């Protein structure tokens, strides 16, 4: 396995904490480091993932194992978050969306409901 770089992981951790704080508050006016931290987090994450892939390039079956680990790490939390978001929106009749410019009584179309479940919400 590749060696860890504590400085890089520290920068990534601090950036992720700032991003989480930015997602928690509705307005990001007070958190002026949000957008810069977002870009730093993506750049450092790309570096870490690329380094991991290049270090293990010669191993047999590494790429399949890598993607399997990523799916098992990301998909359960994604679907739990989607179920929570749908349940909260349904239980509050869409009133949780009012601060974002949506009127209550949320009734999504079939596409509006199912596309996010297949990671196709931007199509």
């Amino acid at each position: 396995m590749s060696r860890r770089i504590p400085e890089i992981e520290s920068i990534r951790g601090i950036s992720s904490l700032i991003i989480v704080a930015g997602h928690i508050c509705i307005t990001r006016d007070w958190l002026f480091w949000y957008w810069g931290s977002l870009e730093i987090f993506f750049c450092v994450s790309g570096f870490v993932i690329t380094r991991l892939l290049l270090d293990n390039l010669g191993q047999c079956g590494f790429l399949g194992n890598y993607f399997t680990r990523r799916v098992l790490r990301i998909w359960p939390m994604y679907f739990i978050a989607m179920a929570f978001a749908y349940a909260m929106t349904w239980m509050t009749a869409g009133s949780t969306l009012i601060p974002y410019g949506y009127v209550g009584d949320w009734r999504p179309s079939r596409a509006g409901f199912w596309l996010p479940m297949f990671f196709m919400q931007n199509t």
Side-chain angles (χ1 to χ4, degrees):
M1 293 301 287
S2 64
R3 298 180 323 266
R4 294 184 176 260
I5 304 173
E7 295 83 4
I8 293 289
E9 291 184 11
S10 299
I11 292 171
R12 190 174 177 203
I14 292 168
S15 296
S16 66
L17 289 175
I18 293 172
I19 292 166
V20 168
H23 284 341
I24 289 173
C25 66
I26 292 177
T27 176
R28 295 184 186 99
D29 294 339
W30 66 273
L31 195 61
F32 60 93
W33 284 3
Y34 176 78
W35 295 109
S37 295
L38 192 64
E39 292 178 8
I40 289 170
F41 178 79
F42 284 136
C43 289
V44 171
S45 294
F47 171 77
V48 170
I49 291 171
T50 303
R51 185 165 185 249
L52 176 71
L53 290 173
L54 290 176
D55 285 349
N56 297 303
L57 193 59
Q59 293 182 2
C60 182
F62 169 74
L63 203 55
N65 291 336
Y66 171 78
F67 283 118
T68 302
R69 283 194 319 261
R70 297 290 291 179
V71 164
L72 291 175
R73 182 181 300 159
I74 294 171
W75 281 10
M77 185 54 68
Y78 176 77
F79 288 117
I80 288 170
M82 290 296 295
F84 179 75
Y86 284 143
M88 289 304 297
T89 306
W90 177 74
M91 288 188 315
T92 61
S95 64
T96 55
L97 299 174
I98 290 173
Y100 301 104
Y102 294 100
V103 182
D105 195 26
W106 181 66
R107 297 183 200 282
S109 64
R110 285 186 185 175
F113 183 83
W114 287 107
L115 285 178
M117 290 296 182
F118 297 102
F119 304 99
M120 296 176 61
Q121 60 267 35
N122 292 330
T123 60

